Amino acid sequence: MSPVNADQLKTTQSTVSYGVLSAAINNQMRLNIINTNYSSVFSDQLIGKATGKSRDEQIIFQDSLLLYRSYAPEFTIYNASTRLHDDLDSDGYYQTFSLVFDADIYSYDGYDSSMVYARLYLSENGGPWVNYYTTDDFIIHSDSDQDEYEIITSFASGYNTNSYDLLIDLYQVGYDGIVATYSSNDNQALYDFPLESGDYDLVYDDSVYVYQGGSFSSLLLIILFLLFAGRLLSHRFNMLNSPYKK
């Protein structure tokens, strides 16, 4: 597939995400979050958690709002991991994925904690980096791994069946400039994600499709049964009231 440029990006792209410290959730809670994502009508784009801007546009806009500082502690993203969830049509492309990353801070003044947030970007098949989610503010402590942050994202609509890379820009709350960046160039776990949105993840069953767990074929069977039952009752009524009955 050829690279996608900014002019070709769909304006109907919609994601639903949930971010939380990884230590605060377990596997059952993750499943619940995914199910809640699927049923939510509040997309990241609708509530302002995803701008849809390219990374270059976002950096210019972001830096115009925040404060300048002459001194900054050293930030780094130590590691990141990813996981794919839910490929309903079993075509090898998933509509939900999770990203976990561990940000660290080192300071010469002994204050090794800070409030931060991250902007997350996707690149479709080598195209521009586009913001798909911005985390809430959260606190990191020195090089602790107990402050790992996890984001579970479901592609609701508008994302082609394609390969995607991930990028993380870390910001310190209240100040300008990116303090750390981590991408597919740093970690293969953020490279070449086979993804598609729910409107492409269709399950076909005997030429009747089932979409995101909702069974259209079951509904059709119910309708056919009711029609058949109605016709049968009508036929029996006509027979009972026929002037030619014996």
Side-chain angles (χ1 to χ4, degrees), residues 99-205:
L99 166 66
V100 180
F101 67 93
D102 179 17
D104 294 335
I105 176 176
Y106 305 93
S107 175
Y108 298 106
D109 58 12
Y111 293 99
D112 289 339
S113 64
S114 180
M115 186 79 73
V116 299
Y117 67 94
R119 289 196 178 276
L120 309 181
Y121 295 86
L122 285 165
S123 170
E124 182 183 350
N125 197 33
W129 293 107
V130 177
N131 174 235
Y132 76 92
Y133 188 68
T134 301
T135 71
D136 293 333
D137 300 344
F138 63 100
I139 299 176
I140 58 173
H141 304 277
S142 187
D143 59 354
S144 171
D145 61 1
Q146 295 302 303
D147 53 15
E148 287 186 338
Y149 200 83
E150 181 167 353
I151 306 94
I152 300 172
T153 298
S154 298
F155 280 6
S157 65
Y159 284 86
N160 299 317
T161 302
N162 215 330
S163 173
Y164 295 81
D165 294 351
L166 302 178
L167 181 146
I168 308 164
D169 277 342
L170 188 71
Y171 290 83
Q172 186 179 19
V173 173
Y175 295 93
D176 67 347
I178 299 166
V179 296
T181 295
Y182 200 77
S183 72
S184 51
N185 292 328
D186 303 295
N187 190 330
Q188 287 291 306
L190 307 185
Y191 173 72
D192 197 24
F193 265 68
L195 299 172
E196 64 185 0
S197 51
D199 48 355
Y200 291 99
D201 196 16
L202 307 177
V203 180
Y204 290 86
D205 182 12

Side-chain angles (χ1 to χ4, degrees), residues 75-86:
F75 293 85
T76 186
I77 297 177
Y78 174 71
N79 196 14
S81 61
T82 51
R83 184 177 178 182
L84 294 166
H85 308 269
D86 290 349

Side-chain angles (χ1 to χ4, degrees), residues 61-72 117 171-179:
F61 175 76
Q62 187 73 23
D63 289 354
S64 69
L65 295 180
L66 302 179
L67 304 175
Y68 173 77
R69 61 182 172 189
S70 59
Y71 165 76
Y117 67 94
Y171 290 83
Q172 186 179 19
V173 173
Y175 295 93
D176 67 347
I178 299 166
V179 296

Side-chain angles (χ1 to χ4, degrees), residues 238-246:
N238 291 336
M239 289 292 294
L240 290 173
N241 292 276
S242 173
Y244 302 106
K245 64 179 181 180
K246 295 182 179 179

